[in-house]
Amino acid sequence: GAGVSQTPSNKVTEKGKYVELRCDPISGHTALYWYRQSLGQGPEFLIYFQGTGAADDSGLPNDRFFAVRPEGSVSTLKIQRTERGDSAVYLCASSLRAGTDVTNTGELFFGEGSRLTVL
Amino acid sequence: SQQGEEDPQALSIQEGENATMNCSYKTSINNLQWYRQNSGRGLVHLILIRSNEREKHSGRLRVTLDTSKKSSSLLITASRAADTASYFCASKPSNDYKLSFGAGTTVTVRA
């Protein structure tokens, strides 16, 4: 499809398990973002990729969270030893490019999200 | 962490009425954007206003920006039941490439 695709749409796991969430951005978009959204809250930034490299991972809550984008397209968010507090909707977004110049609006195109529930 | 605050948190109006929601942010910005999220779905970009603009219109949407007060408002005119959703403002700081979102306003339009 033409939009951002995220899988799985829903994931239920047990505390302590490992999970992977996948994001397939819009073709040609070099910038990819992961956000986390808790119930009743706005999205919170986790990590940003420009191409293959993680340009900013300052939003990752701790070292149990890791993300990769090996070929500059599909990205995987990996969560080890899941905890109940990790339960949230994980949103992926892409944009044509990223930058701080005024010509770059930073408009994001979001996927539908992956709802993670840790029991 | 989220950079902005939005108010009200929730808004319930009758179809045909206008809905107004406000957003405040903390740092100097390049632009401010508004997104809409239907229940259980992803966010969809609605409208963007640049830091050198004061007002912008798109269809039934009107956005204002006051950089001196670091605030913005979104007005939806002649609301419809299909406008029921959560609305988020997102600021793009001048020296950053990532958007910071507010906590959102949940709008319910009663038929």
Side-chain angles (χ1 to χ4, degrees):
Chain A
V4 177
S5 175
Q6 290 190 247
T7 55
S9 54
N10 277 286
K11 176 71 177 178
V12 180
T13 190
E14 294 179 342
K15 181 174 177 296
K17 299 289 188 183
Y18 168 82
V19 299
E20 287 190 352
L21 307 175
R22 174 190 166 107
C23 172
D24 197 346
I26 291 173
S27 178
H29 280 193
T30 61
L32 185 147
Y33 300 77
W34 284 99
Y35 281 81
R36 179 167 73 172
Q37 187 177 25
S38 300
L39 192 64
Q41 298 296 313
E44 288 191 290
F45 171 77
L46 294 177
I47 186 169
Y48 148 70
F49 290 87
Q50 179 60 44
T52 60
D56 183 348
D57 64 358
S58 63
L60 295 178
N62 51 59
D63 61 7
R64 294 186 298 104
F65 288 74
F66 189 71
V68 296
R69 194 186 185 197
E71 297 175 359
S73 179
V74 171
S75 175
T76 304
L77 178 65
K78 308 180 181 194
I79 310 173
Q80 298 177 320
R81 304 183 305 279
T82 52
E83 299 178 356
R84 292 193 181 88
D86 299 336
S87 296
V89 176
Y90 289 82
L91 295 166
C92 176
S94 68
S95 66
L96 197 55
R97 62 180 181 90
T100 58
D101 59 286
V102 295
T103 62
N104 188 318
T105 65
E107 177 186 342
L108 297 181
F109 295 82
F110 280 87
E112 300 279 285
S114 291
R115 180 177 297 278
L116 175 66
T117 303
V118 182
L119 301 177
Chain B
S1 62
Q2 293 176 318
Q3 196 200 169
E5 301 280 335
E6 290 185 61
D7 84 274
Q9 285 187 319
L11 182 59
S12 180
I13 55 174
Q14 201 71 32
E15 205 165 27
E17 293 180 338
N18 296 341
T20 300
M21 58 211 87
N22 305 293
C23 163
S24 62
Y25 57 92
K26 296 177 183 173
T27 64
S28 64
I29 59 171
N30 177 306
N31 65 64
L32 188 134
Q33 303 175 31
W34 286 88
Y35 287 78
R36 165 195 167 121
Q37 184 178 38
N38 286 71
S39 182
R41 309 296 297 272
L43 282 78
V44 176
H45 181 265
L46 291 177
I47 192 167
L48 177 152
I49 186 165
R50 297 184 187 276
S51 59
N52 61 353
E53 297 175 314
R54 291 297 165 257
E55 186 170 314
K56 198 161 184 182
H57 297 252
S58 176
R60 293 184 296 111
L61 304 179
R62 173 179 168 251
V63 173
T64 63
L65 179 66
D66 187 335
T67 52
S68 67
K69 295 180 179 176
K70 291 188 168 59
S71 67
S72 174
S73 68
L74 172 68
L75 167 69
I76 306 172
T77 61
S79 62
R80 305 166 182 169
D83 295 328
T84 294
S86 293
Y87 293 82
F88 296 90
C89 68
S91 55
K92 185 173 186 296
S94 302
N95 61 351
D96 204 349
Y97 41 72
K98 57 185 183 282
L99 296 181
S100 293
F101 287 83
T105 295
T106 300
V107 175
T108 303
V109 181
R110 306 185 304 273

